[in-house]
Amino acid sequence: MPARPVLLTVDDDRAVSRAVARDLRRHYGDRYRIVRAESGRDALAVLRELTARGEAAALLLADHRMPGMTGVEFLEQAMDLAPTAKRVLLTAYADTDAAIRAINDVDLDHYLLKPWDPPEELLYPVLDELLEAWSRTARAPFEGITLLGHQWSAETQQLKEFLARNQVPYRHLQGEDAAGIRTAADLADDATLPALLFPEGTVLRRPTLQQVAQQVGLATTAGSPFYDVVVVGGGPAGLGAAVYAASEGLRTLLVERTATGGQAGQSSRIENYLGFPLGVSGSELAQRARDQAVRFGVELLTAAEVVQIAPKGDGRALLFADGSQVAAHAVVLATGVSWRLLPADGAADLTGRGVYYGAVAHEAADCAGEEVFVVGAANSAGQAALHFARFASKVVVLCRGTDIRQSMSEYLVARIEADPLIEVRTCTQVRAVEGADHLERLVLADSRTGATEVVPASRLFVFIGASPPTEWLGEAFLRDDRGFLRTGPALLDEAGRPPRDWPLTRAPYHLECSVPGVFVAGDVRAESVKRVASAVGEGAMAVTLVHRYLEAN
């Protein structure tokens, strides 16, 4: 039997220490092992022993005022030993300022005031939420999928991203670590890689994402031929639309090509989203929204791609890449945007082999001790730089403009300027990326003088704006000159008239595109606000307009 995860409590006051342990044991003793220490140094020794035995620490609960080592100092040193454990500071009201400072200093997850009676109201609800979040990403004794493939393979990178974003536990082995498994699974030939080995013995050689999705139990084909509404895209806008549609009684299908969350799901930390004062990772926010959608009865398809939307009676038919199709009364397009490709020589050849678009959590861990380059100056680039700085030896942000404040929120700018591991180079562009089988060098150019410089590099993460994936839609879907879908008032001419081919006597609703019954929400819509909160709001608004459309038809 694998060992139960540990909840470690640290307090120099024996009476308080026993009281905390008693309350924790009463509520969590059947699922977790409760361990207590009476000093920060003793607690660090306990953590070292747990780590050496391969046991997981799920929660660290430390009193702030302790002699020799404060609770904040303990939590800071514990980050190296138990980086995934949730960190909670137990403090008196007079020390709340220190607790608030610790939110940034040690990534504190929460602070609790003494006394915490009654624990049913003041202790357990907070810890329940933290432990639920920890359990979704915890990698206790490994029982998941084994990925075999070269680190600098674009196919390996694609599989790693798919598994990570869909919360599927896996480990990546290569070189000597993978030799015995490759022999046993008859994967000695490199042409069979990347490959996935499942616990029950199944081996998938160079699988498609759809094959992987089917093997791990994700639905890839629709369970019904008809729905009230089909939502295309599983980012914040699509998830928002799906949740509101299903909660209001509409039979809803959500279709996503890779994983729910969209670009926001790749964000290491979103700190300005309403209701999350300590911030929330994009993957956690996406998982919460996905769980909520499932609870309301939304049917989710993963690794499924819609390639055409066509009229079908009073509704719309959606054709999938595999040849199947479904019909619906209404459609919500929430396909989001794709990262704009880096216009540098060699970038296309090295994509997935040192050049990456966006960033997910598993990449940060792989960057330990390395120098990382981030291209971009918007919030996504800032969030990534701060996240990579927790692992890399140095992070260099390459900004084309003269000041990152032109496009980045001030709270991110302040933290970047205060981080000694992050260097910001303004007026700098990537002219070329070079390397044999993976990225080895960058050619940087000063946009003011034109002077170039060659620097060694192994990882480059690109965040340089977005382009809408709307090329698959027909000519009936009107777009602006950048490809974003026009809706509502943006479809009307100067006299307030709808497009010439508009078949109805009424004007298009606010989020309705040039095809009646097809609504657009989030980043893919022309003139939308590119923020997570506004995307969720547009998803909810689209459902209101779907109801209005259905009632009128």
Side-chain angles (χ1 to χ4, degrees), residues 130-152:
L130 292 176
L131 290 172
E132 181 183 353
W134 177 85
S135 65
R136 286 201 294 266
T137 58
R139 296 198 180 182
F142 184 77
E143 298 177 353
I145 299 169
T146 297
L147 168 62
L148 304 177
H150 197 281
Q151 172 66 33
W152 303 118

Side-chain angles (χ1 to χ4, degrees), residues 7-80:
L7 308 185
L8 175 60
T9 173
V10 192
D11 199 304
D12 65 303
D13 187 320
R14 290 191 175 184
V16 175
S17 178
R18 289 170 180 162
V20 175
R22 178 201 63 214
D23 287 343
L24 292 180
R25 196 170 289 111
R26 180 185 302 161
H27 193 67
Y28 302 105
D30 60 331
R31 292 159 289 161
Y32 297 90
R33 189 158 65 92
I34 314 303
V35 178
R36 65 185 183 93
E38 295 180 356
S39 74
R41 296 192 183 283
D42 288 347
L44 289 175
V46 170
L47 272 182
R48 292 190 188 96
E49 185 176 350
L50 293 174
T51 302
R53 294 204 303 254
E55 295 189 48
L59 177 79
L60 308 178
L61 177 61
D63 181 58
H64 176 56
R65 289 197 177 187
M66 294 188 295
M69 180 183 295
T70 67
V72 172
E73 291 170 341
F74 160 72
L75 292 174
E76 184 175 18
Q77 294 189 40
M79 289 175 68
D80 293 332

Side-chain angles (χ1 to χ4, degrees), residues 184-242:
D186 193 21
L187 296 169
D189 187 351
D190 285 347
T192 62
L193 302 181
L196 292 176
L197 283 69
F198 293 81
E200 76 281 4
T202 301
V203 178
L204 297 182
R205 296 166 174 81
R206 305 192 69 175
T208 65
L209 296 186
Q210 190 172 52
Q211 289 174 325
V212 178
Q214 291 170 346
Q215 187 64 34
V216 300
L218 299 173
T220 60
T221 57
S224 171
F226 188 85
Y227 297 85
D228 292 318
V229 59
V230 173
V231 181
V232 184
L239 287 165

